[in-house]
Amino acid sequence: MGKKRYELRVLPLFEEDMSEIADYIPYRLQNPIAADALVDAVEKAIYERLPNAESFEPYISSREHRYPYYRIQVKNFTVFYVVIDNVMEVRRILYSRRDWKNQISAMRRGSVRGPPSAISFPAAARPQRRRRG
């Protein structure tokens, strides 16, 4: 029997989360190198998980979901995704120390609706460096 192959889909809400993080770190924390490293680490973690998307324990919550959520820990952040047929759909990235349980509830209420985007989060999330001059 062949191994199941998964396609990757990234929701616009994930891209928004990633862009906010990638803007916050270099401009508010004054650490563009850390922002680049985080974007690279998130991309790497997602692609490493892709071949085995359902091989990990689903996130257990107090509410039932149509599709179980899975988590990927990347530094101080948690990436949330679901598997729909052969698609690993990346939905959110949240700071691990935030009250993300309430944010997950918001996802269930439909705030992630809308067409999924193409796989473009690394370029979209990569912070633009300001030129000094």
Side-chain angles (χ1 to χ4, degrees):
M1 180 181 239
K3 189 175 183 180
K4 188 172 182 180
R5 296 183 64 108
Y6 297 94
E7 295 176 28
L8 180 61
R9 181 182 310 150
V10 177
L11 292 186
L13 188 55
F14 172 84
E15 289 181 339
E16 290 171 23
D17 291 342
M18 197 71 234
S19 284
E20 287 177 21
I21 293 164
D23 284 344
Y24 181 82
I25 294 171
Y27 301 121
R28 299 281 288 184
L29 301 180
Q30 300 295 308
N31 196 342
I33 293 170
D36 283 343
L38 177 64
V39 170
D40 290 344
V42 168
E43 178 181 13
K44 181 180 179 196
I46 289 170
Y47 281 105
E48 284 178 352
R49 179 67 61 95
L50 187 60
N52 305 298
E54 294 177 287
S55 298
F56 294 83
E57 182 179 354
Y59 168 68
I60 306 298
S61 74
S62 58
R63 299 178 105 177
E64 191 171 324
H65 309 286
R66 182 171 181 187
Y67 305 104
Y69 277 85
Y70 296 88
R71 297 183 291 182
I72 305 171
Q73 294 299 133
V74 182
K75 300 187 180 192
N76 289 330
F77 294 86
T78 305
V79 175
F80 291 92
Y81 70 93
V82 297
V83 176
I84 304 169
D85 299 322
N86 70 326
V87 176
M88 178 178 157
E89 184 176 89
V90 179
R91 293 190 167 184
R92 297 294 307 261
I93 180 169
L94 303 172
Y95 185 61
S96 296
R97 296 184 181 161
R98 283 172 82 177
D99 182 15
W100 47 260
K101 290 181 183 184
N102 285 334
Q103 292 177 337
I104 295 293
S105 295
M107 287 192 298
R108 285 193 299 268
R109 290 192 299 267
S111 63
V112 295
R113 292 191 185 178
S117 67
I119 304 168
S120 62
F121 72 89
R126 188 117 6 230
Q128 298 297 316
R129 294 219 170 109
R130 295 180 183 164
R131 293 183 183 250
R132 294 182 182 183

